[in-house]
Amino acid sequence: MERIILDVDSAGDDILAVLFAAVSPQLKLEGVTTCTGAAGPIEQVTNVVLNTLALAGRSDIPVAKGAWRPIVGNAKADMEAPVHFEKRLTARFGDRLKKFNPPAPKPVTAPIAKHAADFIIDTVMASPGEITLVATGPMTNLAMAFLQEERLKDNVKRLVLLGGNFVTPGNITPLSEYNIWADAEAARVVLNQGVDTILVPLDVCEDNRAAASMMTRDDLADLEGAGNHPVLAMIRETFPIYIDIWREFFDLVGFPMDDIITVALAFDPSLCTMTEPLYCDVVLDGRLARGQTVAYRGRQLLPGGGLKTTRICTDIDGRRFMQLFKQTIALYQAA
């Protein structure tokens, strides 16, 4: 059983990732840490996680509130664009958008009295070599932890990170993926730690080449037959609008499961084909290029590069992944 800490920004697929990790028999979810990102302010992000775990009957899992802003960040209007992009969809989807990233009600439980970075440090250092850090949003909390505790890099088991793009166009600029762009400095810190890392780019989740890994209405229909547990009912009720938005706005065949794929790779790396370990860096300057991920391949004349510790996912067994997701989520009915 893999022991993980899951760091999220509570966008739509983060909710599914938390539910997946909380019930998976292959995982022990040591805690969830939260970071400002695509879902909005840190309070919204944290409340969504607390409510999600309560729905799953797993309020025993600690939640640590983390970074309320990126280390450096971008212009305020740019940073808020992913949170408010549904305004561009009002004419098409109308009142159905009320089910897309709605304000979270006040949770019954509360986060622990410890910052996310401190929780990461304390948990990893208490179990050297046993904890995998899985990050599905901006990497601010991880960067803060690595900068605060220099021994952390030698004691974490592995990093599994959602971010970047190498073939597929970016989803925030033509060259950049949102998680990396949102806190490019943090991503650069994390990727330069020399820790064994799996990087999950848009190439294997937000590209129609990976269509078999995307949630469709057929998958929701499969969950219809899995039972009426509150988790299953919430997914069937909430995610049709996500499927429709990603089909009509992003031209994808379904809703991409980026965050769940990232969590699944923590215990089954064979779901994806990967490169050999490479050095991966992040561009920090320029409006269009900021946040671009660059893998060092071949031979270059100018000096540069670093430790080759990052394996980049290049393909996915989408059918096997989606079967795994549905089988795992269906466990709620049996719980």
Side-chain angles (χ1 to χ4, degrees):
M1 180 179 292
E2 291 292 329
R3 300 173 63 189
I4 70 168
I5 295 173
L6 178 56
D7 189 82
V8 303
D9 64 351
S10 291
D13 48 342
D14 292 85
I15 297 170
L16 296 176
V18 170
L19 293 170
F20 180 87
V23 77
S24 171
Q26 285 85 18
L27 294 172
K28 182 181 180 184
L29 183 56
E30 299 287 345
V32 182
T33 52
T34 61
C35 177
T36 294
I42 191 65
E43 291 77 16
Q44 164 77 0
V45 176
T46 306
N47 288 347
V48 167
V49 172
L50 291 167
N51 290 334
T52 299
L53 287 173
L55 183 70
R58 293 303 312 273
S59 293
D60 58 301
I61 296 172
V63 177
K65 183 166 68 172
W68 61 273
R69 56 150 292 166
I71 293 175
V72 175
N74 306 280
K76 186 174 185 295
D78 288 347
M79 291 297 291
E80 292 179 349
V83 181
H84 300 304
F85 98 96
E86 73 270 16
K87 293 178 181 178
R88 301 165 63 178
L89 309 173
T90 302
R92 173 64 183 87
F93 294 106
D95 287 345
R96 292 186 64 209
L97 291 173
K98 292 178 181 178
K99 296 179 181 179
F100 181 79
N101 193 30
K106 184 177 180 180
V108 175
T109 55
I112 63 174
K114 183 182 289 189
H115 190 278
D118 294 322
F119 177 80
I120 290 169
I121 293 169
D122 292 347
T123 306
V124 170
M125 297 305 294
S127 300
E130 296 184 15
I131 308 295
T132 293
L133 301 180
V134 181
T136 61
M139 301 177 199
T140 314
N141 289 329
L142 272 63
M144 293 171 66
F146 280 118
L147 292 172
Q148 184 173 327
E149 175 52 81
E150 63 179 358
R151 298 173 298 166
L152 185 64
K153 66 180 184 295
D154 298 318
N155 287 278
V156 67
K157 180 178 181 179
R158 181 178 295 120
L159 302 176
V160 188
L161 309 173
L162 174 62
N165 57 300
F166 299 89
V167 177
T168 303
N171 60 5
I172 190 73
T173 79
L175 298 175
S176 305
E177 177 273 335
Y178 171 76
N179 285 346
I180 305 291
W181 171 91
D183 198 339
E185 284 76 13
R188 193 166 193 263
V189 166
V190 174
L191 287 168
N192 276 272
Q193 291 302 309
V195 175
D196 178 21
T197 298
I198 294 174
L199 186 63
V200 185
L202 295 180
D203 309 21
V204 297
C205 42
E206 295 196 25
D207 190 303
N208 280 328
R209 292 176 302 138
S213 69
M214 297 178 191
M215 179 187 285
T216 66
R217 289 177 179 271
D218 287 342
D219 297 310
L220 293 182
D222 290 342
L223 290 178
E224 191 77 39
N228 294 311
H229 188 281
V231 165
L232 301 173
M234 182 277 291
I235 293 172
R236 293 193 298 259
E237 173 71 15
T238 302
F239 281 89
I241 183 62
Y242 285 83
I243 293 169
D244 292 349
I245 288 173
W246 262 259
R247 287 185 62 176
E248 298 194 27
F249 187 84
F250 293 104
D251 296 324
L252 298 177
V253 301
F255 179 60
M257 304 283 274
D258 313 30
D259 298 38
I260 310 91
I261 291 169
T262 306
V263 171
L265 287 171
F267 66 84
D268 188 359
S270 71
L271 285 168
C272 281
T273 303
M274 305 180 196
T275 66
E276 70 279 8
L278 300 169
Y279 174 64
C280 186
D281 206 353
V282 178
V283 177
L284 301 182
D285 53 353
R287 179 174 173 81
L288 289 179
R290 177 174 168 79
Q292 182 180 15
T293 43
V294 180
Y296 277 67
R297 305 168 185 258
R299 298 179 181 274
Q300 288 81 38
L301 295 177
L302 290 177
L307 295 174
K308 298 179 179 181
T309 55
T310 298
R311 290 175 290 160
I312 300 167
C313 296
T314 57
D315 199 3
I316 184 170
D317 187 340
R319 293 185 184 278
R320 184 159 70 90
F321 160 74
M322 186 54 68
Q323 182 180 31
L324 171 66
F325 168 73
K326 289 185 287 189
Q327 290 175 342
T328 302
I329 290 297
L331 294 174
Y332 277 104
Q333 188 63 32

